[in-house]
Amino acid sequence: MRLMSLALAFALLAGGGAFAMDFKPYGRGAFGQLTKAHAGKPLIVHYWSVTCPPCLVELPQWAKIAAEKKGFDIVFVNTDGDDERARAQARIEKVGLSSADHYGFADDFVEKLYFEADSAWRGELPFTALVAPDGGVVTVTGAVDDPLIVEWLEKRVRK
């Protein structure tokens, strides 16, 4: 038993994709699975990339919202490939979002992933899907201080 435990620990550490922070795979059907898993509660699904300067600037604002406001769930989806995941992890840790729920694109057919979140989305970032408790979705391409995001938060999230 001890030998199996050591072998498992070694495999996890040696596997090139092992990160201290867990990026769950975000593939086809993930958006629907997320909305279903969080049904009945306000949900924010925020898409970002390490190659998107506005995304990096606003991550601390999302960290502040996550820390200060209550009564909603938030999921961060990194749209970079696996080769950028370490940089994404470093950025998340730097802004204090390590304990948040993180996903990373895990499908090369990214257009399908975009379409599932919003049929009009073409991959522009930052991108945020605001999911009401009843399942209604409003999407916003742009920064966290966009009036649609601010209004949605004021209506559905408490301090």
Side-chain angles (χ1 to χ4, degrees):
M1 182 70 166
R2 183 174 172 185
L3 184 58
M4 281 180 42
S5 296
L6 287 173
L8 178 60
F10 179 76
L12 289 172
L13 292 173
F19 295 106
M21 191 175 73
D22 182 28
F23 283 90
K24 298 174 194 106
Y26 186 93
R28 294 179 204 179
F31 186 77
Q33 291 168 357
L34 283 173
T35 57
K36 185 177 179 181
H38 295 267
K41 192 170 188 181
L43 169 66
I44 298 172
V45 183
H46 181 68
Y47 299 81
W48 70 285
S49 168
V50 296
T51 61
C52 164
C55 298
L56 300 178
V57 168
E58 73 175 17
L59 276 177
Q61 292 172 281
W62 283 112
K64 184 177 179 183
I65 289 168
E68 292 178 356
K69 298 189 183 285
K70 306 293 180 234
F72 75 104
D73 294 333
I74 187 165
V75 173
F76 294 92
V77 181
N78 179 260
T79 62
D80 298 305
D82 287 338
D83 57 331
E84 295 287 359
R85 214 62 87 213
R87 283 180 61 202
Q89 177 181 340
R91 186 60 68 163
I92 287 296
E93 290 172 351
K94 182 177 180 179
V95 300
L97 282 171
S98 296
S99 63
D101 204 7
H102 294 279
Y103 287 78
F105 270 19
D107 191 323
D108 290 335
F109 190 14
V110 295
E111 291 80 6
K112 180 72 174 168
L113 303 180
Y114 301 155
F115 185 84
E116 288 179 358
D118 182 336
S119 62
W121 184 30
R122 300 293 176 253
E124 307 87 0
L125 295 171
F127 182 82
T128 307
L130 307 165
V131 186
D134 66 3
V137 179
V138 174
T139 58
V140 179
T141 301
V144 66
D145 60 357
D146 184 286
L148 286 173
I149 295 175
V150 171
E151 179 184 337
W152 191 90
L153 285 167
E154 287 173 356
K155 287 182 178 178
R156 291 173 182 84
V157 176
R158 64 183 188 278
K159 290 186 178 194

